[in-house]
Amino acid sequence: MSEELQEQRLIILDTETTGINPREGHRIVEIGCVEMVNRQLTGRTYHVYLKPMQNGMQMVMDQEVINIHGLTDEFLRDKPQFHQVAQEFIDFIKGAELVIHNAKFDIGFMNHEFSMINGLPMTEDICTVTDTLQVAKDEFGSPKTLDYLAKFYKVDKLVDRTYHGALIDAQLLAFVYVEMTRKQSALDLSAGDGHQEGTDANAIRRLPENRTKLKIIHATADELEEHKKRLAIVAEKGSEPLWQH
């Protein structure tokens, strides 16, 4: 894996909104981001609640929407408006690759918010974007919800999702993303440093037929027993070894 890829900065992002269509005046009420570098969570997050405004007044959300994310009009009343946090939000995500489930939805809302503030760029000018909904479609043959993927990859119990909060869903998506892209972290099986003159770094390198045979070391009876005990512990935790999938 190249050094450039290893140092790639990912921002796993999710939003909660007042509705489903920004063109109808709906706004973002929560943004949650978690940072990953080299596919590892760094502990850095960006999280903010926002007061949704329309025509100079706070929007009143439908109860159906409140039931989804658990954010009430009263709770959001003293929260900042998007334009008050826009620059710090941009500073956090700038230059990163955004990882979003159903990115069209979140990017649509983000660009709507940016467009209402003079001089701010669009999301595509700030970051690159990976849509895990599309990744799931490529992997499974059809789009899958975040809930489905979390259960499939056995990470659904890692966070409490009583409500679909943005930061909570971003944290869950981070676990899903690591699992669903794990096979992309391929080993470099080429011999040498790949820079020898007149050689193809990606070519298959074969060992000579007259090489010394490798010694086969079998597990002892005690080691086999310890292995069975370890598998039993894994089973008790509701999981199974990767080779049994």
Side-chain angles (χ1 to χ4, degrees):
M1 188 181 296
S2 69
E3 183 177 348
E4 179 181 358
L5 181 59
Q6 288 183 334
E7 294 181 354
Q8 186 177 29
R9 181 171 178 259
L10 303 177
I11 298 296
I12 320 299
L13 179 146
D14 188 59
T15 64
E16 298 296 338
T17 65
T18 62
I20 62 173
N21 193 342
R23 291 190 295 273
E24 295 178 359
H26 290 292
R27 305 291 299 272
I28 295 176
V29 294
E30 184 185 6
I31 301 171
C33 302
V34 296
E35 181 186 64
M36 299 183 75
V37 174
N38 193 19
R39 297 169 55 83
Q40 299 289 326
L41 290 169
T42 67
R44 292 189 67 219
T45 64
Y46 180 83
H47 183 223
V48 65
Y49 295 108
L50 300 167
K51 179 166 67 174
M53 301 293 289
Q54 188 176 52
N55 300 322
M57 299 181 62
Q58 181 176 349
M59 296 180 63
V60 177
M61 291 184 291
D62 293 336
Q63 186 60 45
E64 181 180 3
V65 175
I66 295 175
N67 291 342
I68 294 174
H69 52 53
L71 303 177
T72 65
D73 298 324
E74 178 64 28
F75 176 78
L76 297 174
R77 186 157 293 139
D78 63 347
K79 301 303 182 283
Q81 298 177 43
F82 184 85
H83 71 86
Q84 295 175 293
V85 303
Q87 191 56 57
E88 67 181 33
F89 174 49
I90 290 174
D91 290 343
F92 187 83
I93 67 174
K94 187 176 182 180
E97 176 182 351
L98 296 185
V99 177
I100 308 173
H101 198 70
N102 192 13
K104 182 178 180 181
F105 177 88
D106 299 87
I107 298 301
F109 269 94
M110 289 164 58
N111 283 343
H112 177 67
E113 297 284 359
F114 289 146
S115 70
M116 291 189 288
I117 305 173
N118 291 334
L120 290 189
M122 295 294 99
T123 305
E124 295 84 352
D125 300 320
I126 305 170
C127 309
T128 57
V129 179
T130 292
D131 188 351
T132 51
L133 187 68
Q134 183 61 50
V135 176
K137 183 177 180 181
D138 295 339
E139 181 72 18
F140 296 94
S142 62
K144 300 297 181 183
T145 65
L146 180 57
D147 286 331
Y148 175 92
L149 294 173
K151 291 177 182 177
F152 179 85
Y153 290 112
K154 296 181 171 56
V155 298
D156 53 309
K157 299 297 192 296
L158 297 181
V159 296
D160 179 7
R161 298 181 74 225
T162 303
Y163 291 109
H164 289 264
L167 185 60
I168 292 171
D169 281 2
Q171 291 170 336
L172 184 63
L173 181 56
F175 295 129
V176 167
Y177 178 79
V178 168
E179 294 301 321
M180 75 189 309
T181 60
R182 186 179 295 280
K183 65 183 180 182
Q184 295 177 10
S185 302
L187 293 174
D188 180 6
L189 300 180
S190 59
D193 61 8
H195 297 291
Q196 298 177 29
E197 185 176 354
T199 63
D200 181 356
N202 295 318
I204 296 175
R205 310 298 178 87
R206 302 190 183 279
L207 295 173
E209 293 183 359
N210 60 351
R211 70 188 184 279
T212 302
K213 292 185 182 244
L214 296 176
K215 181 180 179 181
I216 300 175
I217 301 177
H218 297 282
T220 65
D222 289 341
E223 289 170 339
L224 290 174
E225 186 61 31
E226 289 300 318
H227 179 65
K228 289 180 182 179
K229 291 179 181 178
R230 176 57 57 182
L231 291 182
I233 293 173
V234 172
E236 287 178 3
K237 294 182 178 295
S239 186
E240 61 183 11
L242 291 176
W243 61 84
Q244 293 182 1
H245 286 189

